[in-house]
Amino acid sequence: MYRLASPFEGEHMAWNFVSEDKAKCVMFHYVIKGKVFKGVYRVKLQGLLKDADYMEVNSKKIYSGESLMYVGLPFGEQEDYSSDMLILEKI
């Protein structure tokens, strides 16, 4: 488990869980006060293989492990107390 954003340091909190073989990842993102934050918020994942590609299972979008860890996933403006769960699988 990796804490990506602390609820004590901002308006977002996020965690990701990675399987031992680094083939699957589940990421949870929560917005505490969405109206305070304007713009795009990026969550940088941890524990993935930087040379692997991952597919987000709902959208079927493909990301490199390197971009997920160093650029992050973008989240736009959201309502207070909204949440996201993303499942990524190595392809």
Side-chain angles (χ1 to χ4, degrees), residues 4 12-17 26-32 41 43 56 58 73-79 81-87:
L4 309 173
H12 297 258
M13 57 183 158
W15 293 272
N16 76 290
F17 299 83
V26 179
M27 194 272 298
F28 299 94
H29 170 250
Y30 303 91
V31 178
I32 301 166
Y41 181 80
V43 177
E56 199 280 306
N58 291 321
L73 288 169
F75 292 89
E77 192 173 322
Q78 294 176 304
E79 295 294 318
Y81 308 109
S82 61
S83 63
D84 299 286
M85 181 183 85
L86 301 176
I87 300 171

Side-chain angles (χ1 to χ4, degrees), residues 37-50:
F37 179 80
K38 303 289 183 199
V40 175
Y41 181 80
R42 292 194 169 271
V43 177
K44 296 177 183 177
L45 281 69
Q46 296 181 22
L48 302 175
L49 298 170
K50 74 175 187 176

Side-chain angles (χ1 to χ4, degrees), residues 11 24-25 28-29 39 44 49 53 57 66:
E11 303 302 329
K24 293 184 181 182
C25 173
F28 299 94
H29 170 250
K44 296 177 183 177
L49 298 170
D53 288 327
V57 298
E66 188 172 40

